[in-house]
Amino acid sequence: MTPLIRLDNLTVAYHRHPAVHHVSGAFTAGSLTAIAGPNGAGKSTLLKAIMGELRPAEGRVEHRLGRAEFGYLPQAAEIDRRFPISVIDTVLLGAWKKAGAFGRIAPGEVKRAGEALAAVGLEGFAKRHVGSLSAGQFQRVLFARLLLQDANIILLDEPFTAIDARTTRDLVDLVLRWHGEGRTVIAVLHDFELVRAHFPETLLLARELVGWGPTAAVMSPANLLQARAMAERWDEDAAACERREAPAA
Ligand SMILES: Nc1ncnc2c1ncn2[C@@H]1O[C@H](COP(=O)(O)OP(=O)(O)OP(=O)(O)O)[C@@H](O)[C@H]1O
């Protein structure tokens, strides 16, 4: 399997307080990986470092991908829906990612945006203001935006939090479709049942790596216990970590 994104001793810090420590490993092309771990484990931080939004304090993220090749769904809490924008214009932001800030929306993109809305079950919603949608409907809009963007690497931050079972099922189907098309999908998830049912690979994080590999092996009771114990020992004010990887033998 070809490594697409390699993490080499990756440490990411906020104001010198590390949130992710010394993570090494690789995402292979076409893999479907869940990132799991307790609250505050550094999962969102890791996603942002992977796509280059946060710079490593130490170590490296290695890939040959441009920022526009990443499709990214942020956590719902990070999005302000009071911004006066319609559903269709939100979906069309997916096309701007491809065109670049000073590019042009290609003819046909508006039609494709309408098709993406239909694919997520939101036909007839194009002119609605995003602020008037339910949480589940808005999440569908963001998936339609990803469909339009058509990225090969898709990063999802808690895509199924606070949405109903039917919407979750529909959106999980879309994720599985992307995986079937050979795209690389990495999703931060809190629902372990969902991880075990649909995600072949898991990266279990508790600021440090607890495990990374086939889901059944990584999500073992012993690893989950270890992740919880590590979370209980966190010191939010710890200074930048000085630990170094042992040199290769
Ligand atoms: N912008 C920021 N500035 C300072 N500290 C931050 C910032 N974002 C996150 N942190 C801190 O980094 C640590 C990891 O946060 P992160 O959001 O990556 O965790 P998470 O695993 O995604 O958590 P959750 O499951 O609760 O969403 C936490 O202690 C958090 O308070």
Side-chain angles (χ1 to χ4, degrees):
M1 292 288 219
T2 331
L4 182 72
I5 300 168
R6 194 184 286 283
L7 310 183
D8 176 17
N9 190 30
L10 178 68
T11 296
V12 190
Y14 295 102
H15 319 295
R16 293 193 49 79
H17 299 304
V20 170
H21 299 241
H22 306 293
V23 174
S24 293
F27 297 93
T28 54
S31 55
L32 173 57
T33 309
I35 300 183
N39 284 131
K43 304 181 295 296
S44 301
T45 302
L46 182 60
L47 275 196
K48 288 175 184 168
I50 289 170
M51 62 182 177
E53 202 169 285
L54 291 175
R55 290 164 64 99
E58 202 183 324
R60 274 185 306 276
V61 178
E62 292 172 8
H63 57 66
R64 291 166 180 231
L65 307 158
R67 177 67 184 85
E69 289 175 80
F70 289 95
Y72 173 53
L73 180 109
Q75 244 181 58
E78 291 190 20
I79 301 173
D80 184 357
R81 284 209 277 140
R82 288 168 304 179
F83 193 70
I85 184 169
S86 67
V87 164
I88 193 77
D89 285 341
T90 305
V91 176
L92 279 166
L93 288 172
W96 285 114
K97 290 243 168 70
K98 274 188 288 178
F102 301 103
R104 285 168 141 248
I105 295 282
E109 293 290 18
V110 175
K111 181 164 172 278
R112 285 189 56 231
E115 288 163 2
L117 277 175
V120 297
L122 287 182
E123 230 161 345
F125 280 70
K127 295 204 170 120
R128 285 269 293 269
H129 179 263
V130 290
S132 73
L133 302 179
S134 72
Q137 287 166 341
F138 184 61
Q139 202 67 341
R140 286 173 188 263
V141 170
L142 296 181
F143 268 73
R145 186 174 76 177
L146 286 171
L147 275 173
L148 193 69
Q149 192 185 343
D150 196 26
N152 266 328
I153 302 98
I154 299 171
L155 308 182
L156 308 170
D157 199 346
E158 299 191 22
F160 313 122
T161 299
I163 57 176
D164 67 21
R166 161 119 194 266
T167 304
T168 300
R169 236 182 3 253
D170 288 351
L171 298 183
V172 166
D173 283 349
L174 257 183
V175 168
L176 297 177
R177 192 178 110 194
W178 285 329
H179 178 51
E181 289 166 352
R183 300 176 206 257
T184 306
V185 183
I186 306 169
V188 172
L189 294 171
H190 279 287
D191 182 338
F192 290 176
E193 258 179 57
L194 213 135
V195 171
R196 289 193 177 98
H198 300 293
F199 286 72
E201 307 280 323
T202 297
L203 186 166
L204 181 58
L205 189 67
R207 301 212 171 158
E208 295 177 54
L209 200 56
V210 180
W212 188 354
T215 294
V218 170
M219 296 291 272
S220 67
N223 278 351
L224 294 174
L225 212 61
Q226 191 191 340
R228 191 159 7 127
M230 287 161 81
E232 280 161 11
R233 289 198 303 268
W234 284 333
D235 172 5
E236 294 296 335
D237 296 321
C241 172
E242 299 301 333
R243 196 185 95 186
R244 293 280 181 278
E245 293 273 276

PDB file of all heavy atoms in Angstrom, residues 124-136:
ATOM      1  N   GLY A 124     -34.727  21.404  -3.588  1.00  0.00           N
ATOM      2  CA  GLY A 124     -35.700  22.430  -3.202  1.00  0.00           C
ATOM      3  C   GLY A 124     -35.213  23.349  -2.080  1.00  0.00           C
ATOM      4  O   GLY A 124     -35.900  24.279  -1.696  1.00  0.00           O
ATOM      5  N   PHE A 125     -34.003  23.099  -1.566  1.00  0.00           N
ATOM      6  CA  PHE A 125     -33.486  23.922  -0.459  1.00  0.00           C
ATOM      7  C   PHE A 125     -32.528  25.020  -0.936  1.00  0.00           C
ATOM      8  O   PHE A 125     -32.036  25.815  -0.133  1.00  0.00           O
ATOM      9  CB  PHE A 125     -32.737  23.050   0.556  1.00  0.00           C
ATOM     10  CG  PHE A 125     -33.630  22.321   1.517  1.00  0.00           C
ATOM     11  CD1 PHE A 125     -34.432  21.269   1.098  1.00  0.00           C
ATOM     12  CD2 PHE A 125     -33.675  22.689   2.854  1.00  0.00           C
ATOM     13  CE1 PHE A 125     -35.254  20.593   1.991  1.00  0.00           C
ATOM     14  CE2 PHE A 125     -34.494  22.020   3.756  1.00  0.00           C
ATOM     15  CZ  PHE A 125     -35.283  20.968   3.328  1.00  0.00           C
ATOM     16  N   ALA A 126     -32.252  25.084  -2.248  1.00  0.00           N
ATOM     17  CA  ALA A 126     -31.152  25.914  -2.748  1.00  0.00           C
ATOM     18  C   ALA A 126     -31.194  27.352  -2.247  1.00  0.00           C
ATOM     19  O   ALA A 126     -30.161  27.930  -1.896  1.00  0.00           O
ATOM     20  CB  ALA A 126     -31.146  25.883  -4.272  1.00  0.00           C
ATOM     21  N   LYS A 127     -32.393  27.950  -2.218  1.00  0.00           N
ATOM     22  CA  LYS A 127     -32.452  29.385  -1.903  1.00  0.00           C
ATOM     23  C   LYS A 127     -32.601  29.670  -0.423  1.00  0.00           C
ATOM     24  O   LYS A 127     -32.618  30.828  -0.010  1.00  0.00           O
ATOM     25  CB  LYS A 127     -33.618  30.010  -2.681  1.00  0.00           C
ATOM     26  CG  LYS A 127     -33.394  29.969  -4.180  1.00  0.00           C
ATOM     27  CD  LYS A 127     -34.190  31.029  -4.899  1.00  0.00           C
ATOM     28  CE  LYS A 127     -33.760  31.119  -6.349  1.00  0.00           C
ATOM     29  NZ  LYS A 127     -34.857  30.841  -7.269  1.00  0.00           N
ATOM     30  N   ARG A 128     -32.734  28.617   0.373  1.00  0.00           N
ATOM     31  CA  ARG A 128     -32.902  28.841   1.813  1.00  0.00           C
ATOM     32  C   ARG A 128     -31.633  29.439   2.418  1.00  0.00           C
ATOM     33  O   ARG A 128     -30.525  29.174   1.963  1.00  0.00           O
ATOM     34  CB  ARG A 128     -33.200  27.502   2.507  1.00  0.00           C
ATOM     35  CG  ARG A 128     -34.605  26.991   2.290  1.00  0.00           C
ATOM     36  CD  ARG A 128     -35.560  27.456   3.361  1.00  0.00           C
ATOM     37  NE  ARG A 128     -35.266  26.885   4.667  1.00  0.00           N
ATOM     38  CZ  ARG A 128     -35.786  25.744   5.141  1.00  0.00           C
ATOM     39  NH1 ARG A 128     -36.633  25.041   4.408  1.00  0.00           N
ATOM     40  NH2 ARG A 128     -35.501  25.331   6.354  1.00  0.00           N
ATOM     41  N   HIS A 129     -31.806  30.207   3.463  1.00  0.00           N
ATOM     42  CA  HIS A 129     -30.684  30.767   4.204  1.00  0.00           C
ATOM     43  C   HIS A 129     -30.128  29.661   5.116  1.00  0.00           C
ATOM     44  O   HIS A 129     -30.922  28.929   5.723  1.00  0.00           O
ATOM     45  CB  HIS A 129     -31.212  31.951   5.013  1.00  0.00           C
ATOM     46  CG  HIS A 129     -30.184  32.603   5.850  1.00  0.00           C
ATOM     47  ND1 HIS A 129     -30.014  32.315   7.175  1.00  0.00           N
ATOM     48  CD2 HIS A 129     -29.245  33.516   5.533  1.00  0.00           C
ATOM     49  CE1 HIS A 129     -29.004  33.029   7.644  1.00  0.00           C
ATOM     50  NE2 HIS A 129     -28.523  33.770   6.673  1.00  0.00           N
ATOM     51  N   VAL A 130     -28.818  29.535   5.208  1.00  0.00           N
ATOM     52  CA  VAL A 130     -28.286  28.411   5.998  1.00  0.00           C
ATOM     53  C   VAL A 130     -28.687  28.487   7.475  1.00  0.00           C
ATOM     54  O   VAL A 130     -28.808  27.464   8.145  1.00  0.00           O
ATOM     55  CB  VAL A 130     -26.741  28.249   5.893  1.00  0.00           C
ATOM     56  CG1 VAL A 130     -26.317  27.759   4.537  1.00  0.00           C
ATOM     57  CG2 VAL A 130     -26.028  29.527   6.277  1.00  0.00           C
ATOM     58  N   GLY A 131     -28.923  29.724   7.948  1.00  0.00           N
ATOM     59  CA  GLY A 131     -29.317  29.896   9.346  1.00  0.00           C
ATOM     60  C   GLY A 131     -30.678  29.306   9.662  1.00  0.00           C
ATOM     61  O   GLY A 131     -31.017  29.084  10.828  1.00  0.00           O
ATOM     62  N   SER A 132     -31.477  29.024   8.624  1.00  0.00           N
ATOM     63  CA  SER A 132     -32.837  28.505   8.854  1.00  0.00           C
ATOM     64  C   SER A 132     -32.874  26.970   8.837  1.00  0.00           C
ATOM     65  O   SER A 132     -33.937  26.377   8.971  1.00  0.00           O
ATOM     66  CB  SER A 132     -33.794  29.041   7.776  1.00  0.00           C
ATOM     67  OG  SER A 132     -33.537  28.383   6.542  1.00  0.00           O
ATOM     68  N   LEU A 133     -31.724  26.333   8.664  1.00  0.00           N
ATOM     69  CA  LEU A 133     -31.715  24.857   8.559  1.00  0.00           C
ATOM     70  C   LEU A 133     -31.533  24.203   9.922  1.00  0.00           C
ATOM     71  O   LEU A 133     -30.931  24.780  10.830  1.00  0.00           O
ATOM     72  CB  LEU A 133     -30.568  24.408   7.649  1.00  0.00           C
ATOM     73  CG  LEU A 133     -30.543  24.943   6.228  1.00  0.00           C
ATOM     74  CD1 LEU A 133     -29.324  24.399   5.492  1.00  0.00           C
ATOM     75  CD2 LEU A 133     -31.815  24.577   5.477  1.00  0.00           C
ATOM     76  N   SER A 134     -32.000  22.969  10.025  1.00  0.00           N
ATOM     77  CA  SER A 134     -31.711  22.178  11.226  1.00  0.00           C
ATOM     78  C   SER A 134     -30.233  21.750  11.175  1.00  0.00           C
ATOM     79  O   SER A 134     -29.598  21.832  10.112  1.00  0.00           O
ATOM     80  CB  SER A 134     -32.594  20.929  11.259  1.00  0.00           C
ATOM     81  OG  SER A 134     -32.144  20.015  10.278  1.00  0.00           O
ATOM     82  N   ALA A 135     -29.726  21.271  12.310  1.00  0.00           N
ATOM     83  CA  ALA A 135     -28.318  20.846  12.352  1.00  0.00           C
ATOM     84  C   ALA A 135     -28.053  19.747  11.323  1.00  0.00           C
ATOM     85  O   ALA A 135     -27.036  19.758  10.623  1.00  0.00           O
ATOM     86  CB  ALA A 135     -27.967  20.363  13.754  1.00  0.00           C
ATOM     87  N   GLY A 136     -28.985  18.802  11.206  1.00  0.00           N
ATOM     88  CA  GLY A 136     -28.806  17.693  10.264  1.00  0.00           C
ATOM     89  C   GLY A 136     -28.857  18.166   8.817  1.00  0.00           C
ATOM     90  O   GLY A 136     -28.065  17.721   7.980  1.00  0.00           O
TER      91      GLY A 136
END
